[in-house]
């Protein structure tokens, strides 16, 4: 698993935004400034859709005020699903989305998790990273169902603690 001090890997992904999907590499998306990167098992899945993503949408202004340059959400879903989810959640234009359709980024980060028991295959483990200029500053991985350590409130607290 990626750890503090490691550079973000360079893996082909699709960046989903207002104008659609663009082919790019993960280090190009995550490599500049202070980035909050959070990963979810699946777009539109109950916990991701109701608990995880909405916290980042609701706290976008606070995160930016804390010095965050970019907020990025990733999932092992295709770009069409990620765009539909961004639109449906009101996050499009506020948060950037990475479609990691084949799970290459999840594997490269060591944040891949087998959800075959739920019929979902290999996905991202629910997690978040603080990344400064392409170097991981902090890693937050959920060890139980739900959103605690990788949610927006926990990330805000970590950012505040780092400033003090």
């Amino acid at each position: 698993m990626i750890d503090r001090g490691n550079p973000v890997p360079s893996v082909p992904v699709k960046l989903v935004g207002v104008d659609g999907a663009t082919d790019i590499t993960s280090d190009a998306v995550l490599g500049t400034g202070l980035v909050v990167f959070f990963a979810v098992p699946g777009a539109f899945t109950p916990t991701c859709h109701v608990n995880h993503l909405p916290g980042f949408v609701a706290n976008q202004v606070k995160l930016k005020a804390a010095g965050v340059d970019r907020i990025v959400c990733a999932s092992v879903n295709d770009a069409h699903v990620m765009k539909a989810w961004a639109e449906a959640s009101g996050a499009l234009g506020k948060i950037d989305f990475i479609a990691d359709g084949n799970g290459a980024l999840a594997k490269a980060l060591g944040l891949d998790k087998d959800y075959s028991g739920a019929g979902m295959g290999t996905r991202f483990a629910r997690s978040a990273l603080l990344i400064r200029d392409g170097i991981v500053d902090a890693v937050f991985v959920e060890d139980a169902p739900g959103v605690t350590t990788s949610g927006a409130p926990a990330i805000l607290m970590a950012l505040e603690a780092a400033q003090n």
Side-chain angles (χ1 to χ4, degrees):
M1 178 183 335
I2 197 154
D3 201 1
R4 187 174 200 271
N6 294 149
V8 293
S10 181
V11 177
V13 295
K14 292 200 179 286
L15 179 63
V16 178
V18 176
D19 296 327
T22 305
D23 290 320
I24 194 165
T25 59
S26 52
D27 59 329
V29 177
L30 306 171
T32 304
L34 177 57
V35 179
V36 171
F37 171 81
F38 69 103
V40 299
F44 290 110
T45 58
T47 302
C48 305
H49 187 66
V50 176
N51 297 56
H52 209 172
L53 176 60
F56 284 97
V57 174
N59 286 289
Q60 179 220 5
V61 172
K62 288 180 183 175
L63 288 162
K64 297 283 184 164
V68 172
D69 297 298
R70 190 174 210 176
I71 304 166
V72 182
C73 175
S75 185
V76 180
N77 288 106
D78 65 67
H80 305 289
V81 169
M82 292 300 280
K83 184 159 191 233
W85 188 37
E87 291 170 343
S89 63
L92 192 64
K94 298 176 183 170
I95 293 174
D96 294 322
F97 288 81
I98 289 178
D100 184 28
N102 294 323
L105 180 57
K107 289 176 187 148
L109 291 169
L111 294 171
D112 52 318
K113 185 173 179 180
D114 184 2
Y115 286 92
S116 296
M120 295 170 60
T122 300
R123 300 291 182 113
F124 267 103
R126 186 175 311 285
S127 53
L129 304 174
L130 287 175
I131 304 166
R132 291 182 195 274
D133 295 319
I135 305 297
V136 175
D137 196 44
V139 180
F140 309 87
V141 180
E142 300 291 349
D143 58 5
V147 179
T148 54
T149 62
S150 68
I155 300 305
L156 278 167
M157 286 176 37
L159 288 167
E160 289 170 11
Q163 290 175 349
N164 294 331

